[in-house]
Amino acid sequence: MSHNRLTALGAEVVSALHELRKLNLSHNQLPALPAQLGSLAHLEELDVSFNRLAHLPDSLSCLCRLRTLDVDHNQLTAFPGQLLQLAALEELDVSSNRLRGLPEGISALRALKILWLSGAELGTLPEGFCELASLESLMLDNNRLQALPAQFSHLQRLKMLNLSSNLFEEFPAALLPLAGLEELYLSRNQLTSVPSLISGLGRLLTLWLDNNRIRYLPDSIVELTGLEELVLQGNQIAVLPDNFGQLSRVGLWKIKDNPLIQPPYEVCMKGIPYIAAYQKELAHSQPAVQPRLKLLLMGHKAAGKTLLRHCLTEDRVEASEGGDKEKGYSPPPPPASKGIEVTSWTADASRGLRFIVYDLAGDESYEVIQPFFLSPGALYVLVVNLATYEPRRFPTTVGSFLHRVGARVPHAVVCIVGTHADLCGERELEEKCLDIHRQIALQEKRDAEGLSRLAQVVDEALARDFELRSASPHAAYYGVSDKNLRRRKAHFQYLLNHRLQILSPVLPVSCRDPRQLQRLRDKLLSVAEHREIFPNLHRVLPRSWQVLEELHFQPPQAQRLWLSWWDSARLGLQAGLTEDRLQSALSYLHESGKLLYFEDSPALKEHVFHNLTRLIDILNVFFQRDPSLLLHKLLLGTNGEGEGDGESSLVMALPPPSQDLLPATQLHHYVEGFLLHGLLPAHVIRLLLKPHVQAQQDLQLLLELLEKMGLCYCLNKPKGKPLNGSTAWYKFPCYVQNEVPHAEAWINGTNLAGQSFVAEQLQIEYSFPFTFPPGLFARYSVQINSHVVQRSDGKLQIFAYRGKVPVVVSYRPAKGVLQPDTLSIASHASLPNIWTAWQAITPLVEELNVLLQEWPGLHYTVHILCSKCLKRGSPNPHAFPGELLSQPRPEGVAEIICPKNGSERVNVALVYPPTPTVISPCSK
């Protein structure tokens, strides 16, 4: 009788059910149970969870055959004494009641094997609790326990114990003699260490110690060789014990949010086999400490990033001797930005501290590739031109950049530098710096308060019964399970706990003033060497890995665009690495951003892209958006000329294909098509990249790499088949300018007709209230290409088919500060065939969720729009929670009421997918 709206149970009905063995009354609204319940002498299982029970009838003690009792999520204020008479009870759940304590007489429940006491507000356990010798599973999470009774070790049959979300400051010593323990959960406590005697828990399969304050692990932990799950994220662990690779059976492994230096963070995130390889390599060779830090210069166009980089890294001052502005000195014009540039800067030779400086172009055309360079463990310098800064320009010059970095790299360290300080008066300079500081504080406060309010809504939804949430479509998180709500709450808590670390105050700098430049250098050095801010600066590497890196950047291979895997293997041998040890070294160099090695890509895994400077130069070619510059490069390529010393002979050595001899008018046509529609044929791409392309294989690898990065896709290549001599066309979605898709028709020979009216619509909408990841729509356009056919792209919309089912992907930028950006995925079909529409959009939703996982600090919501509202053409359709995508359809429910129109009902098949296979945002 579960999941109804019962408010009472008739005594005469209950007393008539003499032979009843199982009774389920969960998820109702019962304030009390009838006394006649005690007359059901054969009752073995009773579930009265999720009701409104403040007490239980005394007659319950007569149920002498009761084996299972579930009274969780009620309103009990004490442990019911009647239960102590139930000697046959084997499973008991009294979670989520305000018990605040347990009676000493609980020891009478000697047959108890499974006991749930989660969220019962327990501060201590009585001594009698330790006499429950039959206990096998015990849930004590979400209480206020600080210690366990010494006799807790008597529970020798215990196999599973959950003590998460309590107040333990020390690892409970009473657990160590429990040799039969298989699962132990101590997440979200205040532990600072783990005892070495934990090795005595030899049968342990699962160990969760996340979100504590643990600084180190005992060497003996590696003796737990049966471990299959080990969760350590959110601690303060810097070094893992030697021989950690012995834990080879660990499948579930979480270690993020630790200040790891040995092994480095990048190695640990790859998993136990990579840790084993690192430690094995460390044993073979000398350890090497590399104090090196990635420094990213960000900011609006003309903020002064490039000049600042030159002044910092070349140790020069753009001024006359003494920097005297009074003598009318005019500094030379700042060097022109070439797009994204990388420079190595040895900031302190005595300590070997080196910065790898990335100057990220401020032009909007580079937004699609900028996120690739934003990574954890870097120092972000946001450059603001103080001469042109105005308070009203804060959102575009400062606020949007902070949102972007925070979404991509939660808890990132950001330093705000104001340039052109010499062009401002003293008072003006002070006012502008204070305004930036004030508006940053306001933005952070608004964001944190907004997230707190959203978290409070989740708390309020959790406080209500699932039945109540599911009864009214007006309720927040209508129909969403407690499990999904807890995931949502955990995500909000993560966002609140991982705000940006913004160093204040704003540092004003003039490139004319050597003292200000030196002050900035000193500031960057002090921040970089702060152990709590950048603990991974002094990461420890095997000497052989460091040598391998250095060999990749030495002549002659340093000049090449890429190396084969065998080329790298030969370098590995020079570094002392055999082939079987090379993989882990290349993987680390990839994860740490030293080179690109895609071991999971069939097309790229045999190649190593070590020359990142040239790769960035290639990206700059595609994203400068200057028609005259593009045409100039094409003309140079057609004439077989290079752009610099030594390049001409390199290009002339290529056997020029017949397509290279193209008239200027046709080249101009290709440039126009590229800048308007993002279309280029392969032979024209080769002309653009001639200084970098030495052979056809170079071009093919580069195009595979660009596809892997989500920057372009081959428009007319059949899936899994060669082109058979026809020209390959490539589409760069970020260049599409036309609002209505039409550009591909003349290449594909197709003509997409307008969509016909259909009975029902499915539409999944993603909403981004704070920031929309730059380049996301363009990259998503590439990622879905393998799933669709007959596609046609517009600037903000994609029409395509999944088989014979139409799909439409749309991006709608925010029209105002208070409105969110939205991205939607839609399809349609008749109601009997609506499963085909779900089948069409499900892989597209999954691809988008995979991309969004690259933005762990991003807040967004997902909704299923009401098909009835869409059919009516409502400008503001009702939105059902996106969490329903990951939940099974409710049993016995055929229709759901749309709150926009109380008389209108929506078929459940239009809200829930046939099977809950779609990845929801809270389950990633």
Side-chain angles (χ1 to χ4, degrees), residues 398-528:
V398 181
S400 61
F401 286 97
L402 294 179
H403 274 149
R404 190 176 305 170
V405 173
R408 185 77 175 188
V409 188
H411 216 50
V413 181
V414 184
C415 179
I416 314 291
V417 174
T419 57
H420 303 88
D422 55 307
L423 302 181
C424 302
E426 187 175 337
R427 183 174 178 179
E428 178 191 5
L429 189 67
E430 182 180 358
E431 288 177 351
K432 288 184 175 182
C433 290
L434 285 174
D435 180 78
I436 294 171
H437 181 73
R438 180 184 63 83
Q439 291 210 54
I440 288 174
L442 286 174
Q443 177 172 290
E444 281 294 297
K445 183 182 178 183
R446 276 195 308 270
D447 292 351
E449 287 177 349
L451 290 170
S452 297
R453 283 194 297 269
L454 292 169
Q456 186 177 354
V457 173
V458 176
D459 282 334
E460 291 169 356
L462 275 169
R464 290 191 294 272
D465 290 346
F466 173 77
E467 182 61 33
L468 289 176
R469 288 200 304 275
S470 302
S472 170
H474 294 276
Y477 292 103
Y478 164 73
V480 178
S481 67
D482 284 1
K483 183 178 182 180
N484 271 337
L485 281 178
R486 285 193 289 269
R487 284 172 171 166
R488 172 64 67 187
K489 180 181 177 181
H491 183 60
F492 282 134
Q493 201 58 54
Y494 175 82
L495 295 179
L496 286 167
N497 292 341
H498 291 78
R499 307 304 300 160
L500 288 176
Q501 302 177 77
I502 302 174
L503 308 177
S504 58
V506 178
L507 283 173
V509 171
S510 167
C511 287
R512 293 181 171 190
D513 191 329
R515 291 168 299 179
Q516 291 182 359
L517 284 169
Q518 188 57 46
R519 186 182 65 169
L520 177 57
R521 289 193 194 95
D522 293 342
K523 177 70 173 179
L524 296 177
L525 277 169
S526 66
V527 171

Side-chain angles (χ1 to χ4, degrees), residues 674-869:
F674 181 49
L675 295 179
L676 283 176
H677 309 303
L679 290 168
L680 277 179
H683 63 275
V684 174
I685 294 176
R686 182 175 181 177
L687 291 179
L688 275 176
L689 301 180
K690 260 203 166 180
H692 305 286
V693 171
Q694 299 182 36
Q696 184 64 26
Q697 187 184 14
D698 286 350
L699 179 63
Q700 193 56 44
L701 278 176
L702 281 174
L703 291 171
E704 291 281 1
L705 180 60
L706 293 176
E707 284 197 63
K708 176 73 175 176
M709 297 173 72
L711 300 178
C712 69
Y713 62 89
C714 188
L715 197 64
N716 57 336
K717 181 180 178 181
K719 292 179 176 63
K721 299 179 182 178
L723 279 167
N724 296 325
S726 58
T727 301
W729 284 82
Y730 284 83
K731 180 86 168 181
F732 291 76
C734 59
Y735 273 92
V736 176
Q737 298 298 317
N738 51 297
E739 297 292 336
V740 181
H742 63 75
E744 287 80 358
W746 62 281
I747 297 172
N748 291 333
T750 59
N751 182 19
L752 286 175
Q755 304 295 337
S756 59
F757 177 81
V758 290
E760 304 294 349
Q761 298 185 58
L762 281 185
Q763 185 163 330
I764 312 299
E765 184 176 84
Y766 286 68
S767 180
F768 303 84
F770 291 152
T771 186
F772 185 79
L776 177 68
F777 184 69
R779 287 189 63 209
Y780 180 53
S781 174
V782 174
Q783 295 303 116
I784 66 173
N785 189 58
S786 62
H787 297 288
V788 299
V789 294
Q790 298 182 45
R791 66 181 290 169
S792 185
D793 293 24
K795 185 177 182 180
L796 305 176
Q797 201 166 52
I798 303 165
F799 294 141
Y801 284 87
R802 281 267 300 156
K804 296 182 179 180
V805 182
V807 290
V808 181
V809 179
S810 305
Y811 168 54
R812 187 174 64 197
K815 294 182 180 179
V817 178
L818 300 178
Q819 289 187 325
D821 295 75
T822 60
L823 194 156
S824 64
I825 306 160
S827 184
H828 29 244
S830 62
L831 185 57
N833 295 317
I834 199 66
W835 62 273
T836 63
W838 280 113
Q839 201 172 50
I841 68 173
T842 294
L844 307 190
V845 171
E846 291 174 341
E847 286 287 0
L848 181 55
N849 284 325
V850 169
L851 274 180
L852 289 172
Q853 288 181 33
E854 297 177 4
W855 300 81
L858 179 68
H859 168 56
Y860 63 96
T861 57
V862 185
H863 290 96
I864 306 133
L865 300 190
C866 171
S867 63
K868 297 291 185 183
C869 295

Side-chain angles (χ1 to χ4, degrees), residues 473-750:
H474 294 276
Y477 292 103
Y478 164 73
V480 178
S481 67
D482 284 1
K483 183 178 182 180
N484 271 337
L485 281 178
R486 285 193 289 269
R487 284 172 171 166
R488 172 64 67 187
K489 180 181 177 181
H491 183 60
F492 282 134
Q493 201 58 54
Y494 175 82
L495 295 179
L496 286 167
N497 292 341
H498 291 78
R499 307 304 300 160
L500 288 176
Q501 302 177 77
I502 302 174
L503 308 177
S504 58
V506 178
L507 283 173
V509 171
S510 167
C511 287
R512 293 181 171 190
D513 191 329
R515 291 168 299 179
Q516 291 182 359
L517 284 169
Q518 188 57 46
R519 186 182 65 169
L520 177 57
R521 289 193 194 95
D522 293 342
K523 177 70 173 179
L524 296 177
L525 277 169
S526 66
V527 171
E529 293 189 319
H530 197 294
R531 290 278 180 154
E532 292 187 8
I533 298 178
F534 287 109
N536 60 348
L537 176 66
H538 298 277
R539 66 189 70 187
V540 180
L541 292 179
R543 176 66 182 164
S544 55
W545 290 14
Q546 185 178 349
V547 172
L548 179 68
E549 178 188 344
E550 292 169 354
L551 288 173
H552 273 86
F553 303 115
Q554 289 179 3
Q557 56 269 8
Q559 305 306 316
R560 295 171 60 185
L561 180 58
W562 55 270
L563 299 175
S564 71
W565 191 89
W566 292 106
D567 291 333
S568 283
R570 282 189 285 273
L571 296 178
L573 289 173
Q574 293 180 44
L577 287 165
T578 53
E579 286 179 28
D580 60 315
R581 290 151 51 202
L582 178 67
Q583 183 94 356
S584 53
L586 288 176
S587 176
Y588 165 75
L589 294 175
H590 171 86
E591 293 295 332
S592 58
K594 310 300 188 307
L595 49 75
L596 297 181
Y597 172 58
F598 298 100
E599 54 188 307
D600 60 342
S601 170
L604 298 172
K605 66 180 180 181
E606 297 299 325
H607 303 87
V608 177
F609 297 89
H610 64 299
N611 197 332
L612 295 187
T613 302
R614 284 185 67 186
L615 282 176
I616 290 171
D617 288 342
I618 288 169
L619 293 176
N620 286 333
V621 169
F622 287 112
F623 294 97
Q624 284 175 335
R625 292 183 188 253
D626 186 331
S628 59
L629 187 59
L630 287 169
L631 188 60
H632 176 66
K633 286 181 178 293
L634 289 175
L635 290 170
L636 286 177
T638 302
N639 296 328
E641 297 176 13
E643 290 187 325
D645 295 338
E647 288 182 341
S648 179
S649 59
L650 174 69
V651 175
M652 289 301 289
L654 293 174
S658 58
Q659 296 111 313
D660 282 9
L661 304 175
L662 297 172
T665 53
Q666 191 171 354
L667 293 177
H668 189 267
H669 170 72
Y670 283 131
V671 170
E672 281 188 340
F674 181 49
L675 295 179
L676 283 176
H677 309 303
L679 290 168
L680 277 179
H683 63 275
V684 174
I685 294 176
R686 182 175 181 177
L687 291 179
L688 275 176
L689 301 180
K690 260 203 166 180
H692 305 286
V693 171
Q694 299 182 36
Q696 184 64 26
Q697 187 184 14
D698 286 350
L699 179 63
Q700 193 56 44
L701 278 176
L702 281 174
L703 291 171
E704 291 281 1
L705 180 60
L706 293 176
E707 284 197 63
K708 176 73 175 176
M709 297 173 72
L711 300 178
C712 69
Y713 62 89
C714 188
L715 197 64
N716 57 336
K717 181 180 178 181
K719 292 179 176 63
K721 299 179 182 178
L723 279 167
N724 296 325
S726 58
T727 301
W729 284 82
Y730 284 83
K731 180 86 168 181
F732 291 76
C734 59
Y735 273 92
V736 176
Q737 298 298 317
N738 51 297
E739 297 292 336
V740 181
H742 63 75
E744 287 80 358
W746 62 281
I747 297 172
N748 291 333
T750 59

Side-chain angles (χ1 to χ4, degrees), residues 33-87:
L33 299 175
Q36 287 75 9
L37 202 62
S39 65
L40 304 181
H42 294 278
L43 199 64
E44 296 177 2
E45 297 181 29
L46 175 61
D47 187 349
V48 291
S49 60
F50 290 91
N51 277 285
R52 301 173 183 177
L53 305 175
H55 57 84
L56 301 179
D58 292 340
S59 60
L60 209 65
S61 60
C62 301
L63 301 178
C64 57
R65 296 189 183 182
L66 198 66
R67 292 184 293 104
T68 300
L69 175 60
D70 191 347
V71 291
D72 72 284
H73 285 85
N74 276 285
Q75 298 172 16
L76 304 177
T77 55
F79 189 90
Q82 306 91 314
L83 306 187
L84 301 179
Q85 308 299 317
L86 304 177

Side-chain angles (χ1 to χ4, degrees), residues 889-895:
R889 291 180 180 175
E891 295 180 10
V893 178
E895 294 179 319

Side-chain angles (χ1 to χ4, degrees), residues 71-334:
V71 291
D72 72 284
H73 285 85
N74 276 285
Q75 298 172 16
L76 304 177
T77 55
F79 189 90
Q82 306 91 314
L83 306 187
L84 301 179
Q85 308 299 317
L86 304 177
L89 204 60
E90 295 180 359
E91 183 173 348
L92 174 62
D93 189 349
V94 284
S95 300
S96 299
N97 286 284
R98 297 186 173 182
L99 304 184
R100 296 189 173 89
L102 298 174
E104 190 68 41
I106 197 171
S107 58
L109 301 177
R110 299 292 176 90
L112 211 56
K113 294 180 179 180
I114 302 173
L115 178 56
W116 296 73
L117 290 164
S118 306
E121 300 187 10
L122 303 177
T124 58
L125 298 178
E127 295 293 334
F129 187 90
C130 303
E131 297 177 26
L132 300 175
S134 299
L135 268 185
E136 296 177 3
S137 293
L138 175 58
M139 272 58 68
L140 284 165
D141 54 295
N142 287 283
N143 281 290
R144 301 170 183 170
L145 300 174
Q146 295 178 293
L148 297 177
Q151 292 78 13
F152 196 87
S153 57
H154 293 174
L155 304 178
Q156 286 296 309
R157 294 189 183 179
L158 208 57
K159 294 181 180 179
M160 197 280 280
L161 176 60
N162 190 343
L163 292 169
S164 297
S165 299
N166 277 285
L167 303 174
F168 291 99
E169 295 182 1
E170 295 183 0
F171 192 97
L175 303 183
L176 299 174
L178 300 178
L181 207 58
E182 296 177 0
E183 299 178 44
L184 177 58
Y185 302 89
L186 275 160
S187 308
R188 297 179 298 280
N189 278 282
Q190 300 168 25
L191 305 179
T192 57
S193 62
V194 179
S196 58
L197 292 177
I198 196 172
S199 58
L201 303 179
R203 296 185 185 177
L204 213 54
L205 302 175
T206 299
L207 179 59
W208 287 49
L209 296 167
D210 57 290
N211 295 289
N212 280 282
R213 302 170 183 173
I214 299 168
R215 291 186 172 274
Y216 65 91
L217 297 172
D219 292 340
S220 60
I221 199 170
V222 303
E223 297 174 28
L224 300 175
T225 53
L227 275 180
E228 297 174 358
E229 296 184 14
L230 181 55
V231 178
L232 298 169
Q233 68 186 40
N235 280 288
Q236 299 170 23
I237 301 167
V239 178
L240 294 181
D242 292 339
N243 301 314
F244 205 76
Q246 289 180 200
L247 304 177
S248 57
R249 296 183 62 185
V250 171
L252 180 63
W253 162 250
K254 297 185 179 180
I255 191 65
K256 70 176 183 179
D257 297 329
N258 278 284
L260 295 157
I261 61 172
Q262 185 178 341
Y265 176 85
E266 296 85 356
V267 174
C268 293
M269 290 299 290
K270 293 287 286 184
I272 302 295
Y274 289 85
I275 294 171
Y278 165 90
Q279 292 186 330
K280 182 179 178 182
E281 195 58 44
L282 205 60
H284 274 88
S285 61
Q286 293 286 330
V289 180
Q290 279 191 319
R292 180 169 54 186
L293 189 65
K294 185 176 180 180
L295 188 150
L296 293 102
L297 295 172
M298 304 181 67
H300 212 261
K301 189 176 181 180
K305 300 182 294 297
T306 303
L307 178 60
L308 182 64
R309 172 171 60 87
H310 278 273
C311 291
L312 282 175
T313 60
E314 297 180 12
D315 199 23
R316 78 183 197 199
V317 179
E318 300 290 347
S320 57
E321 285 188 20
D324 189 358
K325 293 183 283 184
E326 304 294 332
K327 298 180 181 179
Y329 169 74
S330 178

